[in-house]
Amino acid sequence: MTPQRTAPQPAPLVAMRGVSKAFGGVHAVQGVSIDLFPGEVLGLLGHNGAGKSTLIKILSGALVPDEGEIWVGGRRASIRSPRDAKAYGIETIYQALALADNLNAPANIFLGRELTGPFGGLDDDAMESEARRVLDRLDLKITSLRVPVRSLSGGQRQAVAIGRALLFNAKVLIMDEPTAALGPQETRKVGDLIRSLKTQGLGIVLISHDIHDVFGLADRISVMHNGRLVGTHAVADVTQDDVLSMIILGRDLKGSASAA
């Protein structure tokens, strides 16, 4: 009988290896290694101070690691600023979204990278057309793109922030608490957006305090505790109680503990 061959695992979109960062005598991140694959949602969990924010700030270029390596698309990456991260196709969508409430969706999507016409003025029609195209990719229905984003729902505002990232060829999205302060209907809409992005091959790092939310969206979950990686598991292989135990005790399912 001919043995079955397993399909080779795709190369990671992002590989962080032995990443560390200290502030004075406080080790915010200690020797963390994680992978993110195409079309995957990786949930990143841990209590406040676990090191999640520091780790994603390193990946997004807001902080430079003291030690370790970052590989993007199989190549060693030098990420020392947000501009560097964007050049590698890594975009971060923070909880606050960083939208200009007085501007409309196209103006927010092109903020800082506006299109101009032959005489140097803003090409509003071209920006609206491109904004409509990228928002259609997210299956987002906005009656008018010319209204200020302050009048949009929470889910629509998230989509505008995501659209800004997609328009400039993001391959990796870091989403920080994307459903915070949203109602159930808007939370479902954001979940639909994330699932749609998965099917398009993007890799998503999802940071959330809502373990139910993460279990509903993530393929794998990484838990951090006191700056160290406790463990990474496929969602299908663990229960929510397993993950809560990892978060609280800082121990992987096999019983190994992260250093205090």
Side-chain angles (χ1 to χ4, degrees):
M1 182 176 178
T2 303
Q4 290 185 334
R5 295 183 179 179
T6 57
Q9 190 174 28
L13 278 176
V14 172
M16 303 182 78
R17 295 288 179 264
V19 172
S20 296
K21 182 69 179 180
F23 300 97
V26 178
H27 295 278
V29 172
Q30 302 181 66
V32 171
S33 297
I34 60 171
D35 292 324
L36 176 68
F37 293 94
E40 177 185 51
V41 176
L42 176 68
L44 188 59
L45 295 173
H47 57 68
N48 289 335
K52 308 185 305 295
S53 295
T54 300
L55 188 68
I56 66 165
K57 284 179 181 178
I58 290 170
L59 182 57
S60 68
L63 292 173
V64 178
D66 299 328
E67 297 177 3
E69 300 177 350
I70 300 174
W71 294 69
V72 179
R75 296 185 177 184
R76 175 83 179 270
S78 176
I79 300 177
R80 305 186 68 82
S81 71
R83 184 183 297 272
D84 291 340
K86 291 177 185 294
Y88 285 107
I90 300 169
E91 295 275 353
T92 305
I93 300 173
Y94 291 105
Q95 182 177 341
L97 298 182
L99 297 178
D101 282 344
N102 59 313
L103 300 180
N104 62 25
N108 269 282
I109 287 173
F110 283 92
L111 192 62
R113 296 179 278 197
E114 290 82 1
L115 300 180
T116 56
F119 302 106
L122 294 179
D123 193 338
D124 292 324
D125 288 341
M127 288 191 289
E128 182 172 344
S129 177
E130 285 296 297
R132 177 72 69 185
R133 179 182 62 80
V134 75
L135 292 176
D136 283 347
R137 179 178 166 186
L138 296 171
D139 195 28
L140 179 70
K141 308 302 180 187
I142 299 178
T143 304
S144 173
L145 291 183
R146 303 206 171 190
V147 298
V149 297
R150 71 162 66 92
S151 66
L152 302 181
S153 69
Q156 290 172 328
R157 288 166 59 86
Q158 275 284 354
V160 170
I162 293 169
R164 181 168 57 194
L166 294 183
L167 189 65
F168 296 96
N169 300 315
K171 299 178 181 65
V172 173
L173 284 183
I174 302 169
M175 303 187 73
D176 185 15
E177 301 285 353
T179 60
L182 297 184
Q185 183 176 352
E186 292 299 317
T187 295
R188 284 194 295 272
K189 179 60 180 175
V190 172
D192 290 342
L193 291 174
I194 291 172
R195 294 183 189 96
S196 174
L197 294 171
K198 278 183 56 175
T199 66
Q200 298 174 40
L202 275 76
I204 300 169
V205 180
L206 176 63
I207 299 95
S208 177
H209 284 93
D210 188 337
I211 192 169
H212 306 287
D213 211 23
V214 173
F215 261 77
L217 294 169
D219 300 287
R220 293 186 302 136
I221 291 176
S222 290
V223 174
M224 293 187 67
H225 182 87
N226 290 346
R228 293 185 179 272
L229 182 68
V230 177
T232 299
H233 296 277
V235 168
D237 295 337
V238 292
T239 67
Q240 293 187 23
D241 285 343
D242 290 333
V243 174
L244 282 172
S245 177
M246 292 168 68
I247 292 170
I248 295 168
L249 301 177
R251 294 181 180 274
D252 201 355
L253 302 180
K254 296 176 182 179
S256 61
S258 66

